[in-house]
Amino acid sequence: MLHDRVLVSLEGEPGERRSGSGIVIPATASMGKRLSWASVVAVGPNCRQVEVGDRVLFDAEDRAEVELHSKDYVLLREKDIHAVAATRVEDGQTGLYL
């Protein structure tokens, strides 16, 4: 990875979802702009806030897809990441940074 690039793996295919009350929302349902979560696979040397293994929140519409070894990944710039969920946080905090 070069510069501030982040390579992420999507956590699941977009499909049916369930609301908090248990209502099934089909994949074909029209929804507003929705952000996606993904796991960081690799980072460039100039990334400051993201490490391999973190979960990141990004806009699924502004992405570049790439296939490596028959697996699909998404290539992002660090500035395009909206939030980071990290397990490396101490003191029992949530580990979610917006």
Side-chain angles (χ1 to χ4, degrees):
M1 302 302 302
L2 296 175
H3 309 293
D4 66 340
R5 300 292 196 258
V6 178
L7 187 68
V8 298
S9 174
L10 294 176
E11 296 177 345
E13 292 297 320
E16 290 185 348
R17 296 179 305 276
R18 287 194 180 269
S19 69
S21 61
I23 298 172
V24 176
I25 303 169
T28 57
S30 177
M31 297 201 53
K33 191 171 184 177
R34 187 171 180 94
L35 300 177
S36 298
W37 284 101
S39 299
V40 177
V41 177
V43 296
N46 295 340
C47 289
R48 296 188 221 169
Q49 303 295 323
V50 181
E51 294 180 7
V52 174
D54 290 349
R55 291 180 64 225
V56 295
L57 185 67
F58 68 99
D59 186 359
E61 293 178 7
D62 298 332
R63 65 183 189 181
E65 295 181 7
V66 62
E67 184 178 333
L68 299 170
H69 303 290
S70 301
K71 189 168 179 183
D72 292 327
Y73 296 97
V74 175
L75 186 62
L76 304 168
R77 295 190 95 141
E78 188 178 27
K79 69 177 186 168
D80 295 331
I81 295 173
H82 296 281
V84 178
T87 57
R88 64 183 177 272
V89 177
E90 298 177 15
D91 301 322
Q93 297 177 4
T94 62
L96 180 62
Y97 298 99
L98 298 174

